[in-house]
Amino acid sequence: MSPTLGGQYRKGATGFGRVLLAGPCPSKGHHMVLPALPDIDRIKQRIQAPDYRDWRKKVEDVYGCLHPVRLSGLWEIADKTSGDVLKSHGGHIFAPCGNRRESVCPACSDRYAADAFHLLRAGLSGGSKGVPVEVADKPRLFVTLTAPSFGPVHNRRTTATGKHAPCRCGRYHHEHDPQIGQPTDPGSYDYTRHVLWQAHVGKLWNLFTKHLRRRLARAAGLTVRDFADHARLSYAKVAEFQRRGIIHLHAVIRLDGPNGAVDTTPAWGTPELLADAVHAAHTATHVEVKGFELDGAAVTLAWGEQLDIRPIRPADAHQVEDGDGTISDDRIASYVAKYATKGTGKSEAADRPIRSRTQIELLRTTEHHKQIMRTAWDLGAPIACPDCHPHGEHHPAGCACASIDHCATCDNGGLIPGPLDELNLRRWCHMLAFRGHFLSKSRAYSTTFKQLREDRQIWRFEQNLAELGVTADTVTVINHWDMTSVGHRTDEERELAAAIAERTRAARKHRYNTERKD
């Protein structure tokens, strides 16, 4: 406690209370007693504020979003002929932030997961979102593509009989042991290949789908050019971060007719043929890192040896998986949509871009994940200009840059982009070098996120028209809003919004469990 400003408890007329003692009074030589600081319940104070009900209604309208966008403006429905305002709303409103990460905003993450579920479900079972029910009878596979090993890590292994086996370190790890996924020998772990592989997952997937089409065309006796006239490959994939900080891809792959879901699959298209083509494409997919060598040799990347291929049976199944390993589409959409919002999580990486190498050291994460980010940051660094600094660094005593008035190579900056500049490793450092989308799909698989959002807007608009007893061709809609700020004003508001989001989620889960019969 400071000698000039401290706290003591003294008894007064109303009992004991905490008072602050300032430094000695220069004129009298004794301490000056300041009034006691009251203990304020700021959450209670916010709830008792006059504008609390209005604020709460705005938060409930965005389901407890933790980073709402504050908008100011006007919305009106007016009669097209008379100009009379039939319904209006003006002032300040909240709009959801739309972040898909649960660690950033649980409310918006739930909405994204729900949209992902409907998007995936429509492509699996049909009967909604413009996808016919016949897709359930088409050849469909649930495929998991894994990453190779970059060094042994602690894990929780099981035997064929389901019993737990000891880890390489000789210990039995608990399910939530923070050591799981961490290298057993960090010094020998290949962080460079780890980062390079992670940054090339998108290219690996694109090459995989190209090889898959070629294998299907060859099996059907077609050329690659003619394949599009007979069949189409449709898919939806989602990325999942493993505990070791590496991506696995889960994909629903479907074989359609040439016009997509509305077309009948050719007679030669069978689940067995599709599975064989996936195996062949998995083996044939390789990517070479351009302009970069490791230990004097080019770096070639490929999928891991583990490949899981499971046929998806029709939509009337009641189990996620039967004894034969066949997976159903009854709940697969929920299983896949979960990973669309999982992200890396606060315990593994960062939720926002990294601005400096020093920032990595301040993150609350494991040393393993920090080292992945350090490696990505260093690999993405610019290099010394070969014309200004031919020896790789600046020499104050005498350097080539001193004799150059203007360097066209680096524009006198002294640095040029490194060989891996196109990978944007520093930009995606917070994602452990993963640069792709967590959920993506082919054009003909099913509907889109944009269409799902537009469907909600149309539904709300039609509800307003029905309430007013008018039709769309008789009214004019005025909708003008300007952004004023982002986020809640205080920590207390944020905490209350989080409670609203949690209660909304609990109510939705209860309703879902009550209504669901499968």
Side-chain angles (χ1 to χ4, degrees), residues 245-286:
I246 203 73
I247 284 287
H248 284 183
L249 294 183
H250 304 283
V252 175
I253 301 177
R254 191 182 71 213
L255 189 59
D256 295 331
N259 294 318
V262 297
D263 251 0
T264 304
T265 304
W268 49 262
T270 64
E272 294 75 20
L273 178 71
L274 185 57
D276 290 342
V278 168
H279 273 290
H282 171 266
T283 304
T285 302
H286 297 87

Side-chain angles (χ1 to χ4, degrees), residues 146-157:
T146 63
S149 173
F150 302 105
V153 298
H154 294 280
N155 58 13
R156 192 167 183 258
R157 298 186 297 164

Side-chain angles (χ1 to χ4, degrees), residues 314-381:
D316 59 351
H318 297 288
Q319 301 285 328
V320 171
E321 176 183 317
D322 62 18
D324 299 327
T326 302
I327 193 166
S328 74
D329 62 356
D330 188 63
R331 295 183 181 175
I332 191 175
S334 297
Y335 174 72
V336 175
K338 174 183 68 175
Y339 296 113
T341 59
K342 182 179 177 182
T344 58
K346 286 187 176 179
S347 62
E348 298 173 357
D351 288 323
R352 291 172 177 82
I354 302 296
R355 302 304 182 191
S356 69
R357 201 179 193 276
T358 305
Q359 187 180 348
I360 298 173
E361 309 305 323
L362 302 177
L363 296 174
R364 299 179 62 183
T365 185
T366 65
E367 180 61 27
H368 173 59
H369 290 89
K370 285 183 180 180
Q371 187 57 38
I372 296 173
M373 287 185 274
R374 291 190 199 108
T375 305
W377 185 269
D378 294 341
L379 288 174

Side-chain angles (χ1 to χ4, degrees), residues 24-104:
C25 179
S27 59
K28 299 183 180 180
H30 59 77
H31 287 82
M32 178 176 62
V33 179
L34 300 178
L37 296 177
D39 294 328
I40 301 174
D41 187 341
R42 297 187 181 278
I43 292 182
K44 182 179 179 181
Q45 189 179 59
R46 183 67 187 95
I47 293 174
Q48 294 175 344
D51 65 334
Y52 174 71
R53 290 183 179 274
D54 179 60
W55 174 85
R56 182 187 180 93
K57 176 65 169 59
K58 293 175 182 177
V59 174
E60 289 176 341
D61 287 343
V62 292
Y63 305 102
C65 175
L66 297 186
H67 304 278
V69 179
R70 294 171 174 267
L71 302 174
S72 176
L74 177 69
W75 171 82
E76 285 184 353
I77 296 181
D79 187 274
K80 187 179 293 185
T81 304
S82 64
D84 295 337
V85 176
L86 305 178
K87 190 172 184 179
S88 67
H89 179 80
H92 300 277
I93 64 170
F94 289 171
C97 67
N99 196 301
R100 64 157 191 84
R101 285 196 176 194
E102 186 176 5
S103 58
V104 176

